[in-house]
Amino acid sequence: MSVNENYQPLFKIIEEKNNLKINNITSLSGGDINDVFLLNTTEGKKVVKMNSATKFPGMFEAEMAGMKALKAAEAIDVPQMIDVYTENIHSCLLMEHRETGSRSSNFWTVFGKQMADLHKNTQPKFGFSEDNYIGSLPQQNNEHENIVDFYIKERLEPQFKLAKEQAYDLGDTKKFCSELYNLIPQEKPALIHGDLWNGNYLVNAEGSPCLIDPAVAYAPREMDLSMMKLFGGFDSVLFNTYFEEFPVEKGFDDRVPIWQLYYLLVHLNLFGTGYLGSCKNIIDRYT
């Protein structure tokens, strides 16, 4: 296949740094931001994600840090990260390849239990060791002791600012934020995937879930659950199992739109006015 010539120096670095030879390269689907390739090498199959280091500075370093945090939790399968390499204006993330299979008969039960196990990982404050990205947008992870402070300062306000710069009228965002202190119960920070729609997991060769493409933080765990409900694709068995393993605070169903607002704002700022109505409806509902 023909591969962008600008990536050739990175392929050479991968060979040198890992003492292997790339036999062939196959393009994989990688979304809007990255070019993704399957490398068939003398040391087995690897996956590499490539993009512009100048356009998305630190993206792969942040993704690797997040994936390593998920891996260290030993709760759910994630591919092993190998390293990040940069050459001129391009950067790449090299990782272990995961063979895919068909869902096991108890796939959704396992998924629910493993998500509960993941979310039981905590730390004293909300945030993460470094900022990262959600899609192509920067995501702040400064530390906060209060769950609502974290959600407003690190998640909502940057998206409100972007929306305002694009002249979107969202209504009374200040009143909405002040109401959150009455609506969101205090909980410990949880290690979350952070961008868990149905395209960010795969079924591994054992028929179990494997997480990819995270936007990791120690954050409100209801964010993951609400994102999973936003676009569908997750069986009710998963949620029922999760709630048995790690019950949520009362009123969760009423809070789901509050958490979904962040993800809808991200979509508004990335993809345009098609998401404006949904964002405004949520803000109006709670003000």
Side-chain angles (χ1 to χ4, degrees):
M1 63 162 291
S2 63
V3 176
N4 187 331
E5 286 186 7
N6 294 321
Y7 292 149
Q8 293 302 333
L10 282 172
F11 290 127
K12 288 180 180 176
I13 289 172
I14 289 169
E15 289 183 319
E16 291 167 4
K17 296 283 188 182
N18 296 278
N19 195 26
L20 55 78
K21 185 178 186 307
I22 298 171
N23 296 321
N24 58 62
I25 302 168
T26 308
S27 181
L28 301 173
S29 60
D32 303 322
I33 311 163
N34 306 310
D35 291 322
V36 185
F37 303 100
L38 175 64
L39 309 181
N40 208 320
T41 82
T42 50
E43 297 298 315
K45 292 179 180 177
K46 315 287 181 192
V47 170
V48 64
K49 299 169 74 167
M50 297 183 162
N51 69 19
S52 166
T54 50
K55 198 172 181 182
F56 306 111
M59 174 178 277
F60 289 146
E61 289 85 353
E63 180 174 341
M64 184 163 69
M67 290 289 273
K68 284 184 173 181
L70 295 176
K71 189 83 169 175
E74 296 183 341
I76 190 166
D77 186 28
V78 296
Q80 182 80 37
M81 299 295 101
I82 298 172
D83 212 344
V84 174
Y85 308 106
T86 302
E87 177 71 16
N88 296 324
I89 64 167
H90 292 98
S91 186
C92 74
L93 172 60
L94 184 67
M95 70 186 80
E96 176 185 26
H97 172 252
R98 272 285 180 274
E99 294 288 350
T100 56
S102 301
R103 293 189 187 108
S104 62
S105 57
N106 63 343
F107 175 83
W108 295 112
T109 302
V110 168
F111 206 164
K113 184 178 187 312
Q114 290 183 342
M115 287 303 298
D117 289 343
L118 177 67
H119 288 167
K120 288 174 184 175
N121 287 269
T122 188
Q123 67 174 21
K125 294 182 180 180
F126 293 88
F128 196 57
S129 56
E130 55 198 274
D131 295 340
N132 47 28
Y133 287 79
I134 178 137
S136 60
L137 297 181
Q139 181 174 259
Q140 300 173 181
N141 289 312
N142 296 306
E143 286 191 337
H144 295 268
E145 293 186 2
N146 183 286
I147 190 171
V148 182
D149 289 345
F150 172 82
Y151 188 52
I152 293 172
K153 296 292 184 186
E154 307 305 314
R155 294 295 178 265
L156 294 181
E157 284 186 353
Q159 298 302 323
F160 288 153
K161 183 172 180 286
L162 272 178
K164 189 175 181 180
E165 288 169 358
Q166 297 182 77
Y168 294 128
D169 178 12
L170 291 167
D172 196 341
T173 56
K174 285 187 177 179
K175 187 176 182 187
F176 174 82
C177 288
S178 67
E179 285 296 320
L180 296 184
Y181 289 94
N182 303 316
L183 296 169
I184 296 174
Q186 291 301 318
E187 261 202 319
K188 289 180 179 179
L191 180 61
I192 71 168
H193 176 281
D195 190 15
L196 194 47
W197 65 289
N198 62 45
N200 279 350
Y201 80 85
L202 53 84
V203 183
N204 65 24
E206 288 72 45
S208 297
C210 175
L211 301 183
I212 57 172
D213 297 344
V216 168
Y218 284 89
R221 63 190 175 109
E222 292 182 356
M223 290 188 72
D224 264 354
L225 299 171
S226 300
M227 177 53 159
M228 292 160 77
K229 288 175 174 285
L230 183 56
F231 299 118
F234 296 90
D235 196 279
S236 60
V237 171
L238 183 159
F239 295 103
N240 294 338
T241 304
Y242 180 98
F243 297 143
E244 288 173 12
E245 293 284 333
F246 196 6
V248 288
E249 297 291 328
K250 287 181 181 177
F252 166 66
D253 288 342
D254 294 329
R255 291 188 297 275
V256 166
I258 291 172
W259 305 118
Q260 289 179 341
L261 176 62
Y262 172 61
Y263 298 107
L264 289 166
L265 287 166
V266 168
H267 279 72
L268 173 66
N269 287 321
L270 285 175
F271 305 119
T273 52
Y275 295 92
L276 181 59
S278 298
C279 294
K280 285 178 67 101
N281 288 341
I282 293 170
I283 291 165
D284 291 346
R285 171 176 170 177
Y286 295 94
T287 53

